[in-house]
Amino acid sequence: MARAPLFLALLCIAAFASADGTDARKMVGVYVLKKGDFSVKISNWGATIMSIVTPDSKGNLGDVVLGFDTLAEYVNDTSYFGPLTGRVAQRMARGRFVLDGKVYHTYINDGKNAIHGGHRGFSKVIWTVKEYVGGGDSPYITLYYRSFDGEQGFPGDLDVYATYQLSGPHELSIRTNATALNKATPVNFLQHVYWNLGGEGSGDILGHTLQLSASRYTPMDEELLPSSGRVDPVAGTSYDFRTPTPIGARIRKVKGGSVFGYDINYVIDRVGMRKVAAARDGASGRGLELWANQPAMQLYTGNFLNNTKGKGGKVYDQYGGFALETQAYPDAVNHPEFPSIIVRPGQVYKHDMLYKFSF
């Protein structure tokens, strides 16, 4: 199978610090994976999903991912439109944890806490393109990043790979793995895509129906941290999506921090690779299933989007998209009652996701 040219579009970005402290000039590219009428656009800036184009029930193609037109806008993005976040995604209380008796302090970038790996986490670095096949039966791209000892305060060198592949006619699989090379370290990745199955910029997602394979959740405090460490049943609460329910049905009864909306972690039923969520937009007929192998998932309903300029001059407002972020439990490093996210030298962290689209 012939390989497509490595870079479809290039942007030269200077003066990024390398692991040894020197400045390095690196190239950022945009890569397209295409199979029939299904296409995905990815950048090695932050391992970011920039667009996913798929048909609706009438055969009309539309982009269902919120984002920007230019790479420069992704570099300056503060909403996390589409990147892979880490080394430890989600919030970490006070950016602090204790591992093997040693206290570590990571970069604080969310009030008093750390979020998504710090101000220069995996979503704000240039990944190396290891392999790229843009077309054919199973288009894919494999990205690599070496996270160095002390990066954003985390211990040890970490080798990270992420492969994005069109594994079926309208399916995108994402396989990530990370190997701790010389020190134990916490690891938790998530893919921060904002979905609007009606098409990005088409309005809010409150009418989308959502079903989650989750009978429990972790209550959050005002800082969106699971401070109590409790795991509660969703039954009888506004967090219950065990049957298909419009996202907006109870959204004014829940708060994600200071605003109304969902920003909550669910504990997924069962273990292994299984279906964790299904969503559908009645107007377009588009559906999405998410399969994953992680124990938990954050539901976020774009609560803080506010007059955000997106693709083609469209404006994204509150509830303009929703995110389904498979992950470990938030702040697990500070909660021994939660499943551990510590990866020791020679061990491999694996996080697999599969997105299945229908229409």
Side-chain angles (χ1 to χ4, degrees):
M1 183 183 300
R3 296 188 185 277
L6 259 185
F7 292 127
L8 296 179
L10 297 175
L11 174 67
C12 185
I13 297 179
F16 277 91
S18 64
D20 61 4
T22 62
D23 284 344
R25 182 176 293 271
K26 297 182 180 180
M27 304 301 289
V28 176
V30 179
Y31 306 82
V32 176
L33 308 178
K34 184 172 176 57
K35 187 178 178 69
D37 58 4
F38 182 54
S39 63
V40 178
K41 187 184 295 183
I42 294 166
S43 176
N44 62 321
W45 173 259
T48 298
I49 296 176
M50 298 175 66
S51 73
I52 297 179
V53 174
T54 188
D56 65 10
S57 59
K58 298 180 180 179
N60 300 313
L61 297 180
D63 184 357
V64 296
V65 170
L66 275 61
F68 303 109
D69 291 322
T70 68
L71 285 170
E73 290 172 293
Y74 283 96
V75 172
N76 296 317
D77 175 34
T78 58
S79 297
Y80 295 95
F81 281 134
L84 185 71
T85 66
R87 177 179 305 194
V88 175
Q90 222 36 271
R91 290 171 178 84
M92 182 189 300
R94 307 305 183 256
R96 177 190 181 278
F97 64 95
V98 179
L99 177 56
D100 295 336
K102 182 176 179 178
V103 179
Y104 291 91
H105 296 275
T106 67
Y107 195 96
I108 302 297
N109 62 328
D110 183 52
K112 298 177 181 179
N113 308 306
I115 190 171
H116 297 326
H119 81 297
R120 191 173 177 266
F122 291 178
S123 60
K124 294 295 182 182
V125 298
I126 304 172
W127 293 59
T128 299
V129 178
K130 285 294 188 180
E131 292 185 281
Y132 170 53
V133 178
D137 294 334
S138 192
Y140 73 96
I141 186 170
T142 297
L143 304 175
Y144 166 78
Y145 182 65
R146 164 65 66 85
S147 181
F148 57 88
D149 184 19
E151 184 174 23
Q152 298 295 289
F154 292 101
D157 296 320
L158 191 74
D159 270 351
V160 185
Y161 289 87
T163 296
Y164 298 76
Q165 185 170 24
L166 305 193
S167 51
H170 297 93
E171 295 182 0
L172 169 65
S173 70
I174 304 174
R175 301 184 300 276
T176 67
N177 67 75
T179 303
L181 301 182
N182 43 34
K183 293 181 182 180
T185 184
V187 179
N188 177 36
F189 303 159
L190 64 81
Q191 194 80 43
H192 207 290
V193 176
Y194 289 75
W195 303 101
N196 188 321
L197 298 177
E200 56 83 27
S202 63
D204 65 53
I205 45 77
L206 299 180
H208 283 47
T209 58
L210 179 66
Q211 184 175 16
L212 304 180
S213 302
S215 55
R216 297 178 298 157
Y217 74 107
T218 53
M220 301 293 196
D221 62 20
E222 291 185 355
E223 295 182 282
L224 295 172
L225 288 163
S227 57
S228 69
R230 299 198 328 266
V231 178
D232 289 352
V234 299
T237 75
S238 296
Y239 300 107
D240 191 350
F241 283 94
R242 289 176 296 170
T243 59
T245 303
I247 291 175
R250 300 182 292 257
I251 202 166
R252 295 293 177 181
K253 297 181 179 180
V254 297
K255 271 197 170 184
S258 61
V259 297
F260 289 104
Y262 293 94
D263 197 350
I264 192 75
N265 175 65
Y266 286 87
V267 177
I268 303 302
D269 298 335
R270 302 182 303 280
V271 296
M273 192 71 174
R274 72 283 198 211
K275 185 170 72 171
V276 301
R280 181 165 295 277
D281 171 50
S284 68
R286 290 191 186 96
L288 169 66
E289 284 186 5
L290 171 57
W291 295 60
N293 66 350
Q294 294 301 288
M297 186 193 72
Q298 192 88 1
L299 169 64
Y300 175 56
T301 48
N303 309 332
F304 291 99
L305 294 177
N306 181 19
N307 200 34
T308 302
K309 184 179 178 181
K311 300 171 184 175
K314 296 173 184 174
V315 173
Y316 305 146
D317 282 318
Q318 190 178 48
Y319 315 134
F322 67 102
L324 302 170
E325 309 160 14
T326 56
Q327 60 182 5
Y329 289 41
D331 200 28
V333 287
N334 293 309
H335 288 275
E337 66 274 24
F338 291 166
S340 175
I341 62 170
I342 303 304
V343 178
R344 297 192 175 275
Q347 293 182 335
V348 180
Y349 162 92
K350 294 184 177 181
H351 184 167
D352 296 333
M353 294 158 269
L354 175 62
Y355 300 95
K356 298 181 178 182
F357 298 88
S358 59
F359 44 90

